[in-house]
Structure formats: C-alpha cells, structure tokens
C-alpha cells in the first residue's frame, strides 16, 4: 500500500476518505498474529506474516472500549494513530445498540431493553425500550462522540454504523426478537440519535451505514425495503458517505458487470442465463437463478449505489469487507456465516481510485477473530452465547475432528491458519476491473 498525503481535517463530498492515507495497525492485533506465526510453517506462516501487516477495523462492541490510554480503547487508538507522521487513518465499528444482534445469539450485546435475571437481554418482553435507549445515549453515544471531538484535525476516522441492525429491521421483522416493538424502537431511535450527534458534532468523521451483503439484500424487494426504511427514518443521509457491505461475512468479491437494469435498479446482465461465460456472472452461491443479481459484492455494491441514488438521492460509495472472502466456493450453503471451513483471507485493505462505486476494500473484521462459539468452548465448558449457526455443516467445530471455537471476537488460531493457507491477498484480474485501482 502506498500513502501519499497528510490528513486534511475534512473530507469533501466527492473525496474518497481512504485515498492517500496510511491505515492504522493496532499493536494488539500484531501480538495475536505473532502467537499464531510462532506455531505455523510453510505458506501458512508466510501469509500470516503478511496478514499481520494488514490494517483492519476495531469493533467498539462494549462501552468499556471507548475511554482509556491503551490501544484497546477508542481514545488510546486515536492517540496512537495521531502520533504517527503523518497521522494514520483509523476504521472503527460502532456496535452497541440495545437488543443488538436480534436475529442471532453469538454477538448479543450488553445494553438491553429489558434484562433477564442473569443480566442478558430479554428479547421477548415488549415495551418502548426507554431505559435501554437512555443507557445507549448516555453511556455509549455521548462518551464515544466526546472522545472523537478531541481528535478533530488530528487523525482521520471512518465509522461503520451498527452492523446487521437496519438490514434486520428491513427483512427479519417476522422474527419475534427483531419484530418486538422494543427492538424496533431501539434500533430506529438509537441509530437516528447517534447519526444526529455524529454529523452535528464530528462532521469530519466519514460515516458508512451497514447494508448487509448481496446474499441478504441483493434481491430487489429486499433492497427496496431497506432503502425505504432509511427514507422513512429521515436520517441525515446527505452527511453520510455511503455503505459498508459483507461486514464479517464471506461473500465473494468477484468482478463487476455492465449495468443493464431490467426493472427498478436490478441489474439483469446475468439473469435468465444471460452472459454466463462472462467471469462477472460467476455465481458460487447460486443467487442468479433466484433473480438476485448480487452474485458477488462488486455487483451488489453497484446495484446498491444505483438504487440509493434513485430512491434516496444519495451519491453513495461502498466499503467492502474482504477480510475472509479470498475463496469463493467453500460453502455448501451460502446462508452459513460462522467460522466457515475452507475460507481464505481476501484482498488486503486498500483504497480504490477512479470508481463511482467503491471507496475501499477493507478488513472490517480481523481474520482470526471468531464469529461465535461452538456449544462447548475450547476449555471444555459450555458456551452461553452458542448460536446454532455455529454448528452448521460449513462451520469449523461441526465435526469431531475440528477444534472447538471460542466466543465471538476471541482469537481462533486454527481458523486464522486456515485463512492464511487459503489467502488471496493481492488484487487480480479475476476479482477487479480497471475501474478499481489499488493505491
């Protein structure tokens, strides 16, 4: 990666916030990689050494990670990044809504609309989530924004907002935990408030809303429902840079196709068995036969930005998570997302130039951090946050010969070595076109 210029305090509406910056690498991540490198060999070791030097995002998934002096906190990370010459760009994941992760269990959060006796969230009790929203505003949003305010003009920052939350409201409202009025209120009011505070108090921070991935919102009705939700919420989208896709997932990057919409903003280039010899129509998840043009994340990003322009009047750009999508066809079922067996690390974090669609390919989830635990943890104890999706046939730990997986976010040595063994860290003609130039 090449870096070029010092940090400018604000990013213009047309400027790619990733371009021209060195990306911050947290020394805590390097220590995790060092532990795996020490017991690796051959190509796996060689790739782990390369992966150690690739920047990734930092998930601020509990209140305790906001303030502090070490690099496990927002404040410590920004202080360290600001001390570099020039200051290095930091990518953070904003992630602590009340009743977080309503459609799964692996990443259930610490702020609840109603708590059970054991302190975990009760997703069934209905209400207005007034206590949870108040806690989110006071103990997460306010301190987070206050820390960011200290670094205006000192360090460039990108924020990805609340992964999975609004996509769940757009498509999973039938799930009783997501459709619970308490959860709906928490997500809508929480995100609206957070964006209001960020855009008014830290306008120099580049904001991206999570937009799931092509295997989730790629269908035209799902995408339209998602955009209608954003429109109905009256969010300050004119102050939001764009969207993040494939966050913590494994959807292939692929190659972008010519844009030939047939209805609304759906690109029909690969549908109805058209152009199947074109590499851009490669479809490992078999989505095109279901009239989903989001067969890869570049095609999904193109449809997303076209639809956002038409529906919302938003000139959006996209960050694509490439941390673990170096292998395209390793899953038997592409709805599986937990610690996927046979996956590989994807394109190293890099900015895109000359693109009307993508700002960056970035490791938004660090390869090596677990997606969720097996029912039994590596130490033999039971995992309270076990999600059945982590026992899918594609998940590491679903067979007796596999090691057990740790809780979400914990380092998973076996997985990171597999990701390294199968890594494809460089851009290639098979994955990008001349539209995307890595800098």
């Amino acid at each position: 990666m090449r870096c070029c210029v010092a940090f400018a305090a604000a990013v213009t509406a047309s400027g790619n916030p990733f371009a021209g910056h060195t990306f911050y690498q947290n020394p805590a991540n390097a220590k995790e990689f060092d532990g795996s490198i020490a017991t690796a060999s051959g190509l796996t070791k060689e790739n782990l050494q390369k992966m150690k030097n690739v920047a990734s995002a930092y998930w601020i998934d509990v209140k305790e990670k906001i303030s502090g002096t070490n690099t496990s906190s927002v404040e410590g990370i920004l202080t360290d990044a600001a001390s570099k010459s020039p200051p290095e760009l930091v990518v953070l994941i904003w992630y602590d809504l009340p009743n977080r992760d309503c459609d799964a269990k692996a990443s259930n959060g610490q702020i609840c609309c109603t708590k059970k006796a054991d302190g975990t969230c009760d997703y069934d009790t209905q209400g207005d989530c007034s206590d949870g929203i108040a806690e989110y505003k006071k103990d997460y949003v306010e301190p987070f924004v206050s820390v960011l305010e200290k670094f205006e003009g000192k360090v460039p920052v990108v924020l990805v907002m609340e992964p999975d939350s609004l996509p769940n409201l757009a498509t999973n409202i039938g799930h009783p935990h997501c459709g619970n009025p308490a959860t709906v209120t928490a997500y809508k009011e929480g995100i609206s408030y957070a964006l209001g505070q960020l855009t008014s108090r830290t306008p120099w921070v580049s904001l991206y809303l999570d937009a799931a991935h092509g295997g989730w919102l790629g269908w035209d009705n799902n995408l339209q429902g998602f955009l209608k939700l954003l429109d109905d919420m009256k969010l300050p989208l004119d102050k939001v840079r764009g969207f993040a896709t494939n966050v913590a997932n494994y959807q292939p990057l692929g190659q972008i196709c010519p844009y030939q919409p047939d209805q609304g903003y759906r690109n029909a280039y690969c549908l109805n068995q058209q152009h199947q010899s074109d590499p851009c129509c490669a479809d490992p998840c078999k989505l095109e036969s279901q009239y989903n043009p989001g067969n890869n994340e570049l095609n999904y990003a193109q449809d997303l930005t076209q639809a956002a322009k038409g529906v919302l009047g938003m000139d959006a750009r996209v960050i694509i998570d490439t941390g673990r999508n170096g292998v395209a066809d390793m899953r038997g079922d592409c709805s599986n997302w937990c610690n996927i067996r046979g996956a590989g690390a994807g394109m190293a974090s890099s900015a895109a130039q000359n693109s009307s669609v993508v700002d960056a390919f970035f490791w938004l989830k660090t390869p090596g951090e677990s997606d969720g635990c097996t029912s039994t943890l590596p130490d033999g104890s039971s995992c309270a946050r076990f999600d059945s999706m982590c026992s899918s046939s594609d998940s590491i730990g679903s067979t007796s010969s596999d090691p057990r997986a740790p809780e979400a976010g914990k380092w998973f040595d076996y997985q990171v070595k597999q990701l390294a063994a199968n890594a494809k860290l460089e851009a290639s003609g098979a994955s990008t076109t001349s539209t995307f130039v890595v800098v």
Side-chain angles (χ1 to χ4, degrees), residues 58-282:
Y58 306 97
W59 290 64
I60 313 305
D61 54 355
V62 291
K63 298 174 285 186
E64 291 75 16
K65 288 185 178 180
I66 296 172
S67 300
T69 56
N70 62 34
T71 55
S72 63
S73 68
V74 175
E75 190 169 17
I77 288 169
L78 295 181
T79 298
D80 191 34
S83 73
K84 311 295 183 181
S85 182
E88 296 176 351
L89 181 141
V90 175
V91 180
L92 302 170
I93 311 293
W94 178 291
Y95 189 55
D96 206 17
L97 272 174
N99 281 17
R100 187 180 74 197
D101 204 23
C102 63
D103 191 39
K105 290 180 66 177
S107 301
N108 290 169
Q110 67 174 168
I111 301 178
C112 305
C113 293
T114 302
K115 286 190 176 182
K116 298 178 181 177
D118 63 1
T120 61
C121 293
D122 178 350
Y123 286 79
D124 296 314
T125 298
Q126 299 191 6
D128 61 6
C129 198
S130 56
D131 290 343
I133 293 169
E135 181 181 353
Y136 180 66
K137 292 178 178 180
K138 175 178 177 290
D139 296 339
Y140 188 82
V141 177
E142 177 56 35
F144 203 147
V145 176
S146 293
V147 166
L148 291 172
E149 285 179 313
K150 298 177 184 178
F151 290 90
E152 181 173 3
K154 298 178 182 178
V155 61
V157 176
V158 166
L159 282 181
V160 174
M161 301 298 296
E162 299 290 1
D164 292 351
S165 55
L166 296 181
N168 270 324
L169 290 193
T171 66
N172 289 325
I173 205 73
H175 189 301
H177 291 175
C178 298
N180 182 342
T183 301
V184 173
T185 301
Y187 287 15
K188 288 183 176 181
E189 186 171 335
I191 289 174
S192 294
Y193 179 80
L195 284 178
Q197 292 296 300
L198 286 163
T199 55
S200 63
R201 295 167 58 183
T202 59
W204 54 276
V205 173
S206 299
L207 303 174
Y208 295 80
L209 298 177
D210 179 72
H213 54 78
W216 183 344
L217 295 183
W219 287 272
D220 188 60
N221 59 331
N222 283 0
L223 182 55
Q224 294 292 333
F226 173 69
L227 296 176
K228 183 178 185 304
L229 173 65
L230 300 186
D231 193 34
D232 290 346
M233 289 175 65
K234 306 302 180 187
L235 300 174
L237 296 177
D238 59 323
K239 300 175 182 177
V240 173
R241 175 66 183 175
F243 300 97
T245 79
N246 200 41
V247 178
N249 216 288
Y250 298 84
Q251 296 298 112
L253 181 61
Q255 181 174 329
I256 201 164
C257 287
Y259 185 62
Q260 298 178 2
D262 63 343
Q263 61 179 50
Y265 302 96
R266 184 179 73 181
N267 187 4
Y269 184 82
C270 299
L271 302 184
N272 294 310
Q273 295 297 306
Q274 297 182 92
H275 306 108
Q276 290 302 291
S277 63
D278 192 323
C280 77
C281 292

Side-chain angles (χ1 to χ4, degrees), residues 140-433:
Y140 188 82
V141 177
E142 177 56 35
F144 203 147
V145 176
S146 293
V147 166
L148 291 172
E149 285 179 313
K150 298 177 184 178
F151 290 90
E152 181 173 3
K154 298 178 182 178
V155 61
V157 176
V158 166
L159 282 181
V160 174
M161 301 298 296
E162 299 290 1
D164 292 351
S165 55
L166 296 181
N168 270 324
L169 290 193
T171 66
N172 289 325
I173 205 73
H175 189 301
H177 291 175
C178 298
N180 182 342
T183 301
V184 173
T185 301
Y187 287 15
K188 288 183 176 181
E189 186 171 335
I191 289 174
S192 294
Y193 179 80
L195 284 178
Q197 292 296 300
L198 286 163
T199 55
S200 63
R201 295 167 58 183
T202 59
W204 54 276
V205 173
S206 299
L207 303 174
Y208 295 80
L209 298 177
D210 179 72
H213 54 78
W216 183 344
L217 295 183
W219 287 272
D220 188 60
N221 59 331
N222 283 0
L223 182 55
Q224 294 292 333
F226 173 69
L227 296 176
K228 183 178 185 304
L229 173 65
L230 300 186
D231 193 34
D232 290 346
M233 289 175 65
K234 306 302 180 187
L235 300 174
L237 296 177
D238 59 323
K239 300 175 182 177
V240 173
R241 175 66 183 175
F243 300 97
T245 79
N246 200 41
V247 178
N249 216 288
Y250 298 84
Q251 296 298 112
L253 181 61
Q255 181 174 329
I256 201 164
C257 287
Y259 185 62
Q260 298 178 2
D262 63 343
Q263 61 179 50
Y265 302 96
R266 184 179 73 181
N267 187 4
Y269 184 82
C270 299
L271 302 184
N272 294 310
Q273 295 297 306
Q274 297 182 92
H275 306 108
Q276 290 302 291
S277 63
D278 192 323
C280 77
C281 292
D283 188 19
C285 291
K286 299 177 175 58
L287 295 170
E288 292 162 2
S289 62
Q290 304 172 51
Y291 291 91
N292 180 343
N295 61 309
N296 65 55
E297 285 304 287
L298 285 174
N299 280 334
Y300 171 58
Q302 179 173 237
D303 279 16
L304 173 63
T305 55
Q306 291 282 349
K309 181 71 171 179
V311 175
L312 304 172
M314 185 181 180
D315 189 18
R317 299 294 186 272
V318 176
I319 314 170
I320 299 175
D321 189 347
T322 54
R324 302 178 303 173
N325 66 354
V327 178
D329 58 355
M330 68 291 184
R331 288 177 288 182
D333 182 345
C334 285
S335 66
N336 293 331
W337 52 262
C338 187
N339 300 328
I340 300 302
R341 185 185 297 105
M347 189 193 303
S349 298
S350 48
Q353 277 190 335
N354 305 322
S355 171
S356 61
V357 177
V358 176
D359 272 345
F361 310 99
F362 207 89
W363 289 7
L364 296 177
K365 182 178 175 78
T366 302
E369 292 183 353
S370 176
D371 292 317
C373 53
T374 41
S375 58
T376 301
L377 291 166
D379 66 4
S381 63
S382 178
C383 182
R385 300 174 78 186
F386 170 66
D387 188 305
S388 61
M389 290 298 290
C390 293
S391 63
S392 77
S393 60
D394 290 318
S395 298
I396 299 170
S398 62
T399 69
S400 59
S401 61
D402 290 339
R404 303 302 91 185
E407 287 197 21
K410 301 296 184 182
W411 194 253
F412 194 0
D413 179 74
Y414 181 89
Q415 184 192 41
V416 78
K417 286 174 177 172
Q418 192 169 87
L419 291 167
N422 299 325
K424 293 180 176 62
L425 305 177
E426 305 294 330
S428 70
S431 60
T432 60
T433 72

